[in-house]
Amino acid sequence: MDMKQLQEENDRLKQLHGVKADIISISAHQIRTSISAIKWIIKMFLDGDLGPMTEEQANLLRKAYESNEKAISIVSELLLVNKTEDVTEKEYEMQEINLIELIENAIFNFSGEAFARGIEVIFLKPQEVLPKVSGDKEKISVVMQNLLENAIKYSNMHGKVFITLKHDEENVTFSIKDIGVVISEEGKSKIFEKFYRDPDAQKKEAIGSGIGLYTIKKIIERHEGKIWFESTKENGTTFYFTIPIA
């Protein structure tokens, strides 16, 4: 097989991969929309909005609600993996991005999950005007969504998640803090490794691919930024990342 044939075969495989990814994404979004609708109907019954129930009926619906939540988590994980599995290899479209807007969009997208777990997401907006930063809007959105989803997922029930944006002369720094699962000593050195999942995190949430933090670290590094975390029993877990000022 000569170079031309190899290139043609490579292009064909890339096209097939793109088609597969699109099919997964469309199907998963349709499934998540349907099961999310079921979730809120069950919630209305459990909240008594549709009339009283017996204790037996309520227990059955609680089990149905929990199973539905697991299904939503699986589909969300599938969407994330499908979106990020090769995101680090794709071209980056660098442009001026509005970090505040991206954060607000992420909070809106996960408002249902936060509500279901009784989590309050608090965005402490900067009082001053932020310096301009350049980045790939879609990929920075993936970073924020992943960190916010994790913060909600691993928070204690009825807890709070705090998001901040600060800057110095060189960087804008994003931080997200939750009070919940603390990263283990083993995890502190491995948390950004591909497919790694912290043992304590698995106890709280069995579902997960271990690819999210690996992917967002690659994205931030491609933006010439840094990503790190602090995790203690006293102060919870805070993830940070920086983007250089344009």
Side-chain angles (χ1 to χ4, degrees):
M1 186 177 288
D2 60 25
M3 288 300 296
K4 182 180 179 181
Q5 289 174 313
L6 283 172
Q7 184 61 49
E8 290 175 350
E9 181 64 15
N10 186 50
D11 292 341
R12 187 183 72 83
L13 290 173
K14 283 183 178 180
Q15 185 177 15
L16 288 173
H17 177 78
V19 171
K20 180 206 73 172
D22 289 343
I23 291 172
I24 292 173
S25 181
I26 292 168
S27 300
H29 273 105
Q30 290 174 333
I31 293 169
R32 188 166 68 174
T33 299
S34 297
I35 58 181
S36 293
I38 294 170
K39 167 183 171 176
W40 295 116
I41 292 171
I42 295 174
K43 189 78 168 57
M44 289 172 69
F45 275 105
L46 289 174
D47 290 344
D49 296 336
L50 303 177
M53 295 184 295
T54 66
E55 188 59 31
E56 183 179 2
Q57 289 171 330
N59 285 334
L60 286 171
L61 279 176
R62 286 190 197 100
K63 290 179 181 178
Y65 185 88
E66 290 171 3
S67 296
N68 192 269
E69 280 283 87
K70 289 179 181 177
I72 291 173
S73 295
I74 292 170
V75 174
S76 296
E77 188 71 20
L78 176 63
L79 283 167
L80 178 64
V81 172
N82 186 58
K83 188 173 185 179
T84 63
E85 63 177 351
D86 62 349
V87 71
T88 58
E89 302 302 323
K90 292 181 179 178
E91 289 296 321
Y92 278 50
E93 297 180 8
M94 308 300 277
Q95 57 184 295
E96 185 180 322
I97 53 176
N98 185 331
L99 294 175
I100 292 176
E101 180 184 320
L102 295 186
I103 291 170
E104 290 176 336
N105 288 342
I107 292 171
F108 176 79
N109 290 336
F110 286 96
S111 57
E113 283 82 350
F115 177 80
R117 294 172 184 263
I119 305 297
E120 183 180 3
V121 179
I122 300 169
F123 177 23
L124 302 173
K125 292 184 183 180
Q127 296 299 311
E128 71 280 8
V129 177
L130 284 175
K132 294 178 181 179
V133 296
S134 178
D136 185 300
K137 184 176 180 180
E138 179 184 352
K139 293 173 182 64
I140 294 298
S141 292
V142 168
V143 174
M144 291 179 174
Q145 288 173 17
N146 182 277
L147 291 174
L148 178 56
E149 183 177 23
N150 283 350
I152 293 170
K153 187 186 297 183
Y154 299 117
S155 283
N156 296 328
M157 287 293 288
H158 307 294
K160 294 181 179 180
V161 171
F162 294 92
I163 299 174
T164 66
L165 277 179
K166 297 180 181 179
H167 72 90
D168 56 24
E169 293 181 355
E170 297 180 351
N171 301 292
V172 173
T173 302
F174 169 97
S175 74
I176 181 164
K177 176 180 180 178
D178 68 82
I179 304 296
V181 176
V182 176
I183 298 171
S184 68
E185 287 304 312
E186 174 191 305
K188 287 177 181 177
S189 62
K190 297 182 177 181
I191 200 71
F192 291 111
E193 290 182 6
K194 194 173 187 179
F195 303 125
Y196 178 81
R197 293 199 69 217
D198 191 84
D200 292 339
Q202 291 186 60
K203 292 175 186 176
K204 187 173 179 67
E205 289 288 336
I207 300 164
S209 65
I211 199 173
L213 290 175
Y214 165 83
T215 300
I216 67 174
K217 183 174 185 289
K218 293 295 183 184
I219 292 173
I220 294 302
E221 288 174 347
R222 282 284 295 273
H223 284 80
E224 299 183 354
K226 296 179 181 179
I227 184 166
W228 72 99
F229 66 89
E230 297 170 355
S231 188
T232 64
K233 290 182 179 178
E234 297 76 21
N235 298 312
T237 299
T238 305
F239 274 86
Y240 305 86
F241 72 79
T242 62
I243 299 181
I245 293 170

